[in-house]
Amino acid sequence: MPIPESEKPIVKGVIQKEKVIVDGVEVDGTWNAFMVETTQTGYDPSIWDEVANTLEGVTISACWQCGTCTSGCTMREYDPDFGPRKFIDLARKGDKQALIQLQDSLWRCVSCQKCTHRCPKGVMVEEVVHSIHNYFLKHNLVKKDPGTIFDDLFLETVMRNGGRISELTLGMAASKAGMVTLGIKDLISIGAAMLKGKLVGDVLKPNRVKNWDKIKEVLEEAMKEEVVPE
């Protein structure tokens, strides 16, 4: 609104121009905050469809972007880039590139379930975030994160050891994968504890779960199937 002529003499320091050009988009109604206008291409709406078609991600469409999930998120204190609301928003837009740029944060959910319990719309936020992450892993769009690598090692060790697991065998697998470092001192300590606890036999030849061969077949078949909502 222009300044009335009668008030101009009492207002000092006013700079008036016939035309002011602001390079950006006004974002908060105060005309003091502007966002640089950009054009982005390459959106892929199939992300939303595919996530919504999984058991974990089926509630993604109910999100109304209130941000309650993110305001109470446990991980936000440790990783400011981690944001359930943001991940869901980008997935629904199909902004694949933006989510790929957030790949070092996308996997960090600790499954505390605070977001899911606080959501006023009943969105299974924790599950949806995992589904979005799984989408990118499935399509080889992001590198495997440490959590996924460890899950693979854990499963591989259980299957190889007849349904059994031990901290030692898992630790050795993690060490071989470069996830942990075992020094000579560590190996001596572990060896001494094994000898003292008479655990050498269990490590070298673990006792298999009863009927393991049949259980293994069931597990292998189950892992081949992808669960989808009815």
Side-chain angles (χ1 to χ4, degrees):
M1 175 184 291
I3 300 174
E5 289 296 328
S6 59
E7 295 184 8
K8 284 186 177 179
I10 61 175
V11 181
K12 297 180 180 178
V14 175
I15 300 175
Q16 285 186 291
K17 293 185 178 180
E18 291 185 359
K19 190 175 183 180
V20 177
I21 299 175
V22 178
D23 187 13
V25 178
E26 199 277 336
V27 293
D28 66 356
T30 64
W31 291 94
N32 285 319
F34 295 86
M35 181 173 64
V36 175
E37 188 174 4
T38 58
T39 301
Q40 185 171 345
T41 60
Y43 287 96
D44 183 357
S46 69
I47 299 176
W48 184 351
D49 295 334
E50 192 165 331
V51 169
N53 199 39
T54 64
L55 188 61
E56 287 182 312
V58 69
T59 57
I60 187 174
S61 301
C63 173
W64 61 4
Q65 290 289 297
C66 68
T68 304
C69 55
T70 301
S71 67
C73 176
T74 303
M75 185 47 62
R76 289 278 294 174
E77 180 180 352
Y78 304 98
D79 183 359
D81 287 334
F82 187 89
R85 185 206 63 78
K86 177 168 56 180
F87 297 152
I88 292 175
D89 178 49
L90 293 173
R92 297 203 306 188
K93 288 176 180 174
D95 196 340
K96 189 180 292 183
Q97 191 57 42
L99 283 165
I100 291 173
Q101 291 174 353
L102 291 168
Q103 64 176 291
D104 290 334
S105 298
L106 192 57
W107 62 272
R108 291 182 182 273
C109 174
V110 293
S111 299
C112 68
Q113 290 283 350
K114 285 174 66 178
C115 53
T116 297
H117 287 294
R118 297 182 67 180
C119 177
K121 292 287 287 179
V123 178
M124 297 189 299
V125 183
E126 183 258 346
E127 290 83 351
V128 171
V129 170
H130 281 299
S131 182
I132 294 170
H133 182 220
N134 288 337
Y135 169 90
F136 283 86
L137 286 173
K138 175 183 174 182
H139 294 279
N140 296 317
L141 295 170
V142 297
K143 62 186 178 185
K144 274 193 176 182
D145 56 272
T148 301
I149 294 173
F150 185 81
D151 287 347
D152 291 343
L153 288 175
F154 186 93
L155 180 61
E156 181 183 337
T157 306
V158 169
M159 299 298 283
R160 191 173 60 242
N161 290 339
R164 302 290 188 185
I165 190 68
S166 73
E167 288 80 0
L168 180 62
T169 53
L170 183 59
M172 290 174 65
S175 177
K176 187 177 179 181
M179 300 188 72
V180 295
T181 302
L182 294 176
I184 296 178
K185 186 176 179 180
D186 298 318
L187 294 173
I188 293 175
S189 299
I190 293 171
M194 288 174 57
L195 290 172
K196 186 177 180 180
K198 300 180 180 178
L199 299 173
V200 177
D202 290 338
V203 173
L204 296 177
K205 190 177 181 181
N207 292 322
R208 292 190 167 201
V209 171
K210 187 177 180 181
N211 295 323
W212 169 243
D213 290 338
K214 293 181 179 178
I215 296 173
K216 184 179 179 183
E217 290 180 9
V218 174
L219 290 176
E220 289 176 337
E221 193 63 29
M223 286 187 288
K224 293 177 183 175
E225 298 180 4
E226 183 180 1
V227 180
V228 295
E230 296 180 355

